[in-house]
């Protein structure tokens, strides 16, 4: 027949191993592993003498069941994957309807159409064959003596046997992978067994593509042949399991990959649970270290050694904050510890101890040659990694004894708190640079409040009653070393306005500049007021 490809069935042969079936062509009906291909069906004894007369390119479509056409509207009863057999009796004498049947069956996802040439259909219409070739839909010409019952029994029996063998092999794969996970509980053992089963390189990749475990030397310059997301919800956020097959993956490789991805989710859950317990243990010990002197030095040292921490070296506490903590920081899926530590590790060294705190990150770092250099390097690393984010870094003093680390941490908190008040929302501040604030910070709150009330009480009352800013204006004036021009410029007011405010301050305080003691007390009170304000804001 002109323009039609013919494939005569071969002598009966044993079907190939269910683990070596060819991959399913895209869009060609049921999923891989569900049945046998049309080409394999034609090799069965029941189809001896049958010919594939059209749609040869669809010979790899999969047959999962056989059905017989008894009524013209059979298409609406099809679910896909069927090899439909017919004598064309229901459409006898209507070549147009028979030709239109092929596109309908192809659209429904059937595997192919077997037509018995005989009294009801002496020959297959040319339009039907051309449509089948165009769609890649197999049309098989059946000899007149073939019995449909024989085809039904043998094809369905082969499909069921193939499925049973496939399930048996799948169970073996699952058992090997499960045993590997239960024995070792790590990605590496799972990957090693997967590579052996699939006979090709395999790997477990993190969500960002990082290689977590591998076997068989997967090529670094070539993408994986196929991969599956870890977890039942197939979310790439948990990473993936990948194979490098060098060719389209076979069904046994895909089955092993599916099982491995499911078991990798179990490993991921286990690792997250272990990591969570470690984080809680770390957090508890760190909280003890930075809260007060340890009650049992030996026990604290033992627990720190179990964590891999070296406490017998001088360290200083460093705090890192992102964004504006007063207004709330932008939330992300990753914790501050996960976001910041990778950037900071490169500059503080592997022995630095870091952990997440509500406002960002806390560190216990070795000062090296200069703590100032370390603190600046931390700021630069975070600011470079997050250029659109405000970064604040504060440090306490260096402590040689780990029992005194709580003092350094307290100093770092003070430096951060005062830094926000003195320097705004983006700064580097060390406790040793706080000057007189270091002295004031040692005083009880009651004494600080008394100092402020005695020197600035009348100004604070006036500001509260009139919504004024006399105290702030006085602070800027003193910070500018009593330079009225520079103070007015910083306050964004006219010089005469500042002069008027200073006269009000003189009147309300009785003369803050009348003698050296008054000047000193006023300046200390201004600083004490800023310290109390910073503490109140947190």
């Amino acid at each position: 027949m002109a323009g039609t490809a013919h494939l005569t069935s071969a002598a009966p042969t044993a079907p190939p191993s269910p683990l070596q079936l060819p991959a399913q062509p895209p869009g060609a009906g049921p999923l891989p592993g569900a049945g046998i291909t049309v080409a394999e069906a034609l090799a069965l004894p029941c189809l001896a003498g049958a010919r594939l007369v059209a749609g040869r390119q669809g010979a790899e479509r999969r047959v999962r069941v056989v059905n017989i056409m008894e009524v013209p509207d059979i298409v609406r009863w099809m679910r896909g994957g069927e090899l439909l057999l017919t004598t064309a009796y229901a459409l006898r004498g209507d070549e147009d309807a028979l030709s239109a049947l092929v596109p309908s069956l192809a659209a429904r996802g059937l595997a192919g159409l077997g037509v018995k040439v005989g009294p009801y259909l002496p020959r297959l219409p040319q339009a039907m064959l051309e449509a089948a070739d165009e769609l890649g839909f197999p049309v098989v010409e059946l000899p007149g003596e073939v019995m449909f019952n024989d085809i039904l029994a043998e094809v369905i029996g082969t499909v069921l046997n193939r499925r049973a063998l496939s399930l048996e092999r799948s169970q073996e794969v699952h058992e090997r992978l499960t045993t590997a996970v239960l024995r070792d509980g790590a990605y590496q053992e799972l990957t090693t067994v997967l590579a052996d089963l699939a006979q090709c390189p395999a790997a477990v990749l993190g969500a960002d593509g990082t290689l977590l475990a591998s076997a068989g030397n997967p090529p670094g310059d070539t993408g994986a042949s196929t991969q599956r997301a870890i977890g039942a919800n197939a979310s790439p956020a948990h990473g993936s399991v990948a194979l490098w097959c060098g060719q389209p993956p076979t069904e046994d490789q895909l089955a092993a990959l599916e099982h491995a991805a499911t078991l990798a989710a179990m490993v991921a859950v286990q690792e997250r649970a272990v990591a969570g317990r470690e984080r809680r243990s770390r957090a508890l010990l760190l909280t003890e270290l930075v809260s007060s002197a340890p009650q049992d030095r030996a026990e604290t040292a033992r627990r720190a050694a179990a964590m891999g921490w070296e406490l017998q070296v001088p360290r200083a506490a460093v705090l890192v904050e992102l964004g504006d903590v007063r207004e709330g920081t932008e939330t992300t899926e990753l914790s501050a510890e996960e976001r910041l530590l990778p950037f900071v590790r490169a500059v503080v060294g592997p022995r630095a101890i870091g952990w997440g705190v509500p406002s960002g990150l806390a560190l216990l770092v070795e000062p090296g040659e200069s703590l100032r250099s370390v603190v600046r390097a931390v700021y630069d690393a975070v600011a470079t990694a997050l250029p659109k984010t405000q970064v604040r870094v504060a440090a306490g003093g260096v402590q040689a004894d780990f029992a005194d680390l709580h003092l350094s941490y307290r100093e770092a908190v003070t430096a951060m708190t005062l830094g926000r008040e003195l320097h705004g929302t983006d700064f580097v501040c060390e406790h040793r640079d706080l000057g007189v604030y270091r002295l004031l910070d040692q005083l009880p709150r009651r004494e600080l409040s008394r100092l402020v009330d005695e020197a600035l009480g009348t100004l604070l009352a006036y500001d509260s009653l009139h919504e004024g800013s006399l105290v702030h204006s006085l602070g800027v004036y003193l910070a500018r070393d009593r330079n009225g021009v520079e103070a007015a410029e910083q306050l964004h007011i006219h010089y005469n306005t500042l002069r008027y405010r200073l006269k009000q301050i003189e009147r309300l305080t009785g003369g803050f500049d009348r003698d050296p003691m008054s000047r000193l007390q006023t300046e200390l009170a201004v600083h004490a007021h800023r310290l109390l304000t910073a503490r109140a804001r947190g």
Side-chain angles (χ1 to χ4, degrees):
M1 192 169 294
T4 303
H6 298 270
L7 179 63
T8 303
S9 66
T13 59
S17 164
L19 297 177
Q20 300 301 325
L21 290 176
Q24 174 79 345
L31 296 174
I36 62 175
T37 67
V38 172
E40 290 170 338
L42 286 171
L44 298 175
C46 64
L47 288 172
R51 296 188 306 152
L52 182 59
V53 294
R56 181 188 182 95
Q57 61 268 42
E60 298 302 312
R61 283 177 175 259
R62 294 196 168 275
V63 179
R64 64 173 181 82
V65 72
V66 180
N67 209 333
I68 298 174
M69 179 177 179
E70 297 177 342
V71 294
D73 60 346
I74 187 69
V75 175
R76 65 192 181 102
W77 306 106
M78 299 293 98
R79 295 184 178 181
E82 294 93 341
L83 174 61
L84 186 63
L85 307 179
T86 182
T87 61
Y89 178 80
L91 299 175
R92 64 190 183 283
D94 191 346
E95 289 193 2
D96 291 340
L98 191 58
S99 299
L101 181 63
V102 167
S104 300
L105 298 179
R108 198 70 172 177
L110 270 70
L113 175 66
V115 185
K116 181 188 288 190
V117 176
Y120 305 116
L121 187 66
R123 64 178 182 80
L124 298 179
Q126 182 63 29
M128 174 185 181
L129 300 177
E130 291 175 353
D133 281 331
E134 182 178 349
L135 296 171
F137 181 77
V139 173
V140 179
E141 183 179 286
L142 303 174
E145 66 275 10
V146 71
M147 301 294 293
F148 284 176
N149 283 342
D150 293 340
I151 298 175
L152 279 167
E154 190 166 359
V155 172
I156 293 178
T158 302
V159 169
L160 293 177
N161 289 337
R162 183 72 58 81
R163 188 170 299 169
L165 290 172
S166 179
L167 289 174
E168 182 179 343
R169 172 60 176 161
S170 178
Q171 182 63 26
E172 292 175 2
V173 169
H174 180 72
E175 289 177 357
R176 281 198 61 186
L177 291 169
T178 302
T179 300
V181 170
L182 293 176
R183 179 174 61 245
D184 186 73
Y187 286 136
Q188 185 56 56
E189 182 66 17
L190 177 67
T191 306
T192 300
V193 175
L194 174 60
D196 181 57
L197 289 168
Q199 292 297 296
C200 67
V204 176
L205 306 175
D208 58 355
T210 304
L211 190 67
L212 302 180
S214 66
N217 298 318
D221 56 349
T222 305
S225 304
T226 183
Q227 56 185 324
R228 293 293 183 272
I230 293 174
N233 61 353
S235 170
H238 302 299
S240 61
V241 183
L243 292 177
W244 283 259
C245 308
Q247 58 187 353
T250 58
E251 288 180 13
D252 61 322
Q253 291 171 328
L254 290 174
L257 181 62
E258 293 287 355
H259 286 303
T262 300
L263 292 170
M266 296 173 55
V267 176
V269 170
Q270 181 181 358
E271 290 191 347
R272 285 197 293 271
V274 172
R277 288 194 294 271
E278 290 180 351
R279 279 196 297 269
R280 287 191 291 273
S281 298
R282 289 171 60 245
L284 179 61
L285 178 54
L286 287 166
T287 300
E288 294 175 5
L289 278 173
V290 302
S291 298
S292 60
Q295 296 181 350
D296 188 334
R297 288 178 59 93
E299 175 62 15
T300 300
R302 184 194 65 78
R303 291 166 59 194
M307 296 287 179
W309 299 342
E310 175 56 66
L311 292 185
Q312 308 303 326
V313 296
R315 292 182 183 270
V318 176
L319 298 178
V320 180
E321 283 187 353
L322 298 181
D324 189 342
V325 295
R326 300 174 193 170
E327 297 179 2
T329 55
E330 202 175 299
T331 59
T332 67
E333 292 184 1
L334 296 178
S335 67
E337 181 175 347
E338 293 171 312
R339 283 185 294 154
L340 299 182
L341 267 183
F343 307 131
V344 173
R345 287 284 185 201
V347 297
V348 297
R351 296 205 303 180
I353 302 169
W355 71 102
V357 294
S359 56
L361 188 69
L363 302 164
L364 295 176
V365 304
E366 297 177 47
E369 296 181 359
S370 167
L371 177 61
R372 191 180 303 277
S373 298
V374 174
V375 175
R376 171 54 64 177
V378 169
Y379 174 88
D380 291 341
V382 178
T384 300
L386 305 173
K388 297 182 179 180
T389 305
Q390 295 172 335
V391 180
R392 296 176 293 281
V393 180
V398 178
Q399 298 293 340
D401 189 342
F402 71 84
D404 295 327
L405 286 175
H406 66 287
L407 301 177
S408 180
Y409 188 83
R410 188 178 305 162
E411 290 172 351
V413 172
T414 299
M416 182 65 74
T417 302
L418 269 170
R420 297 193 208 105
E421 185 68 26
L422 300 175
H423 307 303
T425 57
D426 195 284
F427 59 82
V428 173
C429 182
E430 290 187 60
H431 185 263
R432 63 181 175 180
D433 296 331
L434 293 179
V436 71
Y437 290 104
R438 293 167 56 190
L439 174 63
L440 294 173
D441 191 47
Q442 304 301 313
L443 297 178
R445 179 183 180 84
R446 183 179 64 251
E447 292 299 325
L448 291 175
S449 298
R450 179 183 298 175
L451 173 62
V452 172
D453 288 341
E454 290 176 355
L456 305 177
T458 54
L459 301 183
L460 291 170
Y462 181 90
D463 283 346
S464 176
L465 183 63
H466 299 89
E467 296 184 358
S469 56
L470 295 183
V471 174
H472 177 60
S473 299
L474 176 60
V476 172
Y477 176 69
L478 295 175
R480 289 295 178 178
D481 199 22
R482 296 173 171 76
N483 187 316
V485 175
E486 291 184 3
E489 182 178 349
Q490 182 174 334
L491 291 167
H492 304 290
I493 60 176
H494 194 275
Y495 175 71
N496 289 335
T497 302
L498 176 62
R499 289 183 61 191
Y500 174 74
R501 291 181 183 179
L502 292 175
K503 289 180 179 179
Q504 283 184 299
I505 293 171
E506 285 282 350
R507 178 176 58 80
L508 291 171
T509 61
F512 69 90
D513 212 9
R514 61 184 179 273
D515 57 64
M517 183 60 69
S518 298
R519 287 195 293 272
L520 176 60
Q521 184 175 1
T522 300
E523 291 205 30
L524 287 176
V526 169
H527 293 312
H529 176 63
R530 297 191 76 170
L531 177 59
L532 292 172
T533 301
R535 287 179 180 177
R537 291 177 176 173

